[in-house]
Amino acid sequence: MISPVRLTGSSRPLKSIARSLLSLLYPPSCALCEAELPQWDGQVCLCSACRAVLPRLVAPWCARCGEPLEGDGADICARCAGGELPFERLRSFGSYQGNLAELIRAFKFGGERALAGELAAYLLELATHDPQISGAHAITFVPMTARARRARGFNQTELLARRLGRRLELPVIKVLRKLRETRLQVELGGRERRENLSGAFAARHDPRYEKILLIDDVYTTGATLAECSQALAVAGYSQIYALTLARTVFKPRDDQDN
Ligand SMILES: [Zn+2]
Ligand SMILES: [Zn+2]
């Protein structure tokens, strides 16, 4: 699907020359439909037609958790009205379906690391529209156990956080740790998901930062973000914000593990 261009070394002029030569040999194409990309900025990206049909979420949404609302005048959803979420605010770029789900799956399960730049741009768009979120002091991410990370070769949420951190000029800090392997969330119901993850994460307080932005890929039942935010709050961070690429607005699909 995609031919990521990986160049080593640190010389920028050489990199860009090599890139130009490579793009003559392999004209850059859309990650989804393979249409040629006329203006390539060195990142793998989508053509304008594919971008136009990304299933973006639009307001009105819950002021707290970002869940799309019916537009009946309420500013928070029933779930947020009924209980305390352990984070200040969550925003998600789109619903987990269509070409966005395809991109996330290619990134996460297909090993297409080159998609990190494209996907981080969606998080950047959310952050730049929300001064509270872009005003975080540091960024962190949902961790994997060392074993799971070795098996996948990378942690997708860390790649997203690092790209976003570079663009927002915020430090990315590794303060969450996953203490044990958990069962695949897909095998479980909502309440079991929470129990499955209960106590699975621990956080370390970095006293330089109070407001922290937590990155995950997909928000399904919210169990992962709730557990991680809880651990961050217990560690001593006073304000926790969260961003995800996508959230389940319809019935969960069977490859989600959050
Ligand atoms: Zn396309
Ligand atoms: Zn809500």
Side-chain angles (χ1 to χ4, degrees), residues 13 16 18-19 24 37-40 74 88 100 102 112 118 130 142 146 167 192 195 205-206 235-236 238-239 247 249:
S16 59
R19 251 189 212 129
L24 282 176
L37 296 172
Q39 284 174 337
W40 197 44
E88 303 287 323
L100 182 59
E102 202 182 317
E112 297 285 1
E118 173 74 27
D130 193 312
V142 171
R167 296 193 196 181
E192 285 175 315
E195 282 164 9
H205 190 222
D206 184 327
S238 64
Q239 289 177 51
R247 68 192 293 146
V249 176

Side-chain angles (χ1 to χ4, degrees), residues 182-190 192-197 221-224 256-258:
T182 47
R183 285 173 65 195
L184 266 184
Q185 291 286 81
V186 61
E187 298 164 3
L188 310 167
E192 285 175 315
R193 286 183 175 209
R194 190 72 200 259
E195 282 164 9
N196 181 42
L197 292 175
T221 61
T224 305
Q256 290 170 346
D257 64 3
N258 295 289

Side-chain angles (χ1 to χ4, degrees), residues 144-159:
M144 297 168 94
T145 60
R147 200 170 139 201
R149 196 183 185 286
R150 267 198 306 276
R152 185 169 290 168
F154 65 102
N155 177 355
Q156 72 279 359
T157 62
E158 179 173 2
L159 292 188

